[in-house]
């Protein structure tokens, strides 16, 4: 019998050649595309984690995962990567009152470097140098006067934005939170058992205020005047806290009198 390949009209079957170039290149391109898409998704999620930490301050992994709709394993993977890159730090969660059994949960906060990349702390070095010069040549009173002058324009803009807020301190705190958010402070107000609480999750001068607390004191005085009652500053980003927190005790408005402020974060 003759070889089938020699029969008329019969085409020999060609076996696929191992290592075919075109299919190999397609496989490589597909793998590269999948890796690129996965990397983009990771960056997008990390951006969302960063934004949440900027807005909320110290937050647990469970809270972040719940807000983003991620499993504990998935949020942990992103946080581990951000820890390795120096974008976040982990601390034990502060517990007020009686602590329960077991170790406190860890909370995560943005590092100073990550805050800078979020657009914070503009011209810190120059501002710090200028305040050092003022302190050296004019003393602490000159620094206080400078700080008061700096927040005066912020106070005027916030007061205008709060024009229809009424006289109730807690209502005014809510209006102030909206005004401060418009100014880039990522603020929110809430009612608590002892009154109200104003939280600022972003501070544009945190590095400078760490050395010159007069800036925080001037801002606290502005909050007190705008809310219309005595307030207590409980925590500040400048002092290493995740959020600037101001307590607004429930009390009658002090019309016609000078309202003082009390700092409790020294």
């Amino acid at each position: 019998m003759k070889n089938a390949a020699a029969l008329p009209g019969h085409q020999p079957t060609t076996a696929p050649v191992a290592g075919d170039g075109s299919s190999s290149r397609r496989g490589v391109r597909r793998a590269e595309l999948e890796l690129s898409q996965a990397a983009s998704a990771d960056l997008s999620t990390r951006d969302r984690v960063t934004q949440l930490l900027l807005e909320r301050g110290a937050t647990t992994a469970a809270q972040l995962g719940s807000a983003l709709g991620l499993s504990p394993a998935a949020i942990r993977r992103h946080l581990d990567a951000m820890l390795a890159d120096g974008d976040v730090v982990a601390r034990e969660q502060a517990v007020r009152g009686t602590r329960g059994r077991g170790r406190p949960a860890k909370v995560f906060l943005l590092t100073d470097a990550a805050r800078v990349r979020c657009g914070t702390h503009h011209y810190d070095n120059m501002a710090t140098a200028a305040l050092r010069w003022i302190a050296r040549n004019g003393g602490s009173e000159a620094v206080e006067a400078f700080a008061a002058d700096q927040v005066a324009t912020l106070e005027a803009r916030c007061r205008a934005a709060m024009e229809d807020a009424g006289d109730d301190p807690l209502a005014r705190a809510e209006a102030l939170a909206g005004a401060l958010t418009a100014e880039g402070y990522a603020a929110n107000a809430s009612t608590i058992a002892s009154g109200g609480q104003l939280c600022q999750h972003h501070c544009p001068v945190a590095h400078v205020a760490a050395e010159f607390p007069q800036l925080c004191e001037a801002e606290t005085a502005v909050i007190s005047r705008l809310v219309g009652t005595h307030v207590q500053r409980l925590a500040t980003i400048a002092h290493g806290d995740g959020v600037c927190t101001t307590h607004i005790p429930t009390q009658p408005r002090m019309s016609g009198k000078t309202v003082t402020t009390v700092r409790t974060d020294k």
Side-chain angles (χ1 to χ4, degrees), residues 2 6-7 13-14 19 24 31 39 56 63 70 75 105 118-119 122 137 150 153 176 190 195 200-202 220 255:
K2 294 183 178 180
L7 293 175
T13 302
T14 303
S24 177
R56 298 186 179 186
Q63 290 167 337
L70 296 174
I75 192 63
C118 291
H122 299 297
N137 291 276
Q150 288 298 296
T153 54
L176 176 56
S190 58
Q200 297 157 251
H201 301 278
H202 172 47
T220 305
S255 301

Side-chain angles (χ1 to χ4, degrees), residues 88-266:
V88 299
V89 292
R91 297 178 182 170
E92 285 191 353
Q93 187 175 33
V95 178
R96 290 186 171 86
T98 304
R99 176 192 280 188
R101 298 182 63 183
R103 296 182 61 183
K106 282 188 177 179
V107 293
F108 297 86
L109 303 90
L110 290 179
T111 61
D112 290 339
R115 287 180 182 275
V116 168
R117 288 196 296 275
C118 291
T120 66
H121 316 308
H122 299 297
Y123 307 110
D124 279 353
N125 292 338
M126 184 179 294
T128 303
L131 280 167
R132 286 172 182 165
W133 188 93
I134 292 171
R136 191 165 55 248
N137 291 276
S140 61
E141 290 183 356
V143 175
E144 290 172 7
F146 173 82
D149 184 72
Q150 288 298 296
V151 297
T153 54
L154 173 67
E155 180 176 2
R157 291 194 300 270
C158 289
R159 191 176 296 279
M162 297 168 60
E163 193 173 3
D164 300 324
D167 293 335
D168 178 64
L170 300 185
R172 292 187 66 80
E174 290 182 359
L176 176 56
L180 288 172
T181 295
E183 295 283 341
Y185 286 80
N188 68 277
S190 58
T191 301
I192 58 177
S194 57
Q197 187 165 273
L198 177 70
C199 293
Q200 297 157 251
H201 301 278
H202 172 47
C203 175
V205 294
H207 282 178
V208 185
E211 184 172 343
F212 295 96
Q214 293 94 329
L215 293 171
C216 292
E217 291 165 0
E219 184 180 275
T220 305
V222 165
I223 293 172
S224 179
R225 289 193 294 269
L226 290 174
V227 171
T229 188
H230 159 81
V231 301
Q232 294 174 304
R233 204 68 178 267
L234 302 179
T236 62
I237 294 171
H239 284 75
D241 299 296
V243 181
C244 294
T245 306
T246 305
H247 180 230
I248 306 164
T250 301
Q251 62 184 53
R253 184 183 172 97
M254 299 170 63
S255 301
K257 297 182 180 180
T258 300
V259 180
T260 59
T261 62
V262 176
R263 284 177 56 83
T264 60
D265 59 334
K266 289 185 177 180

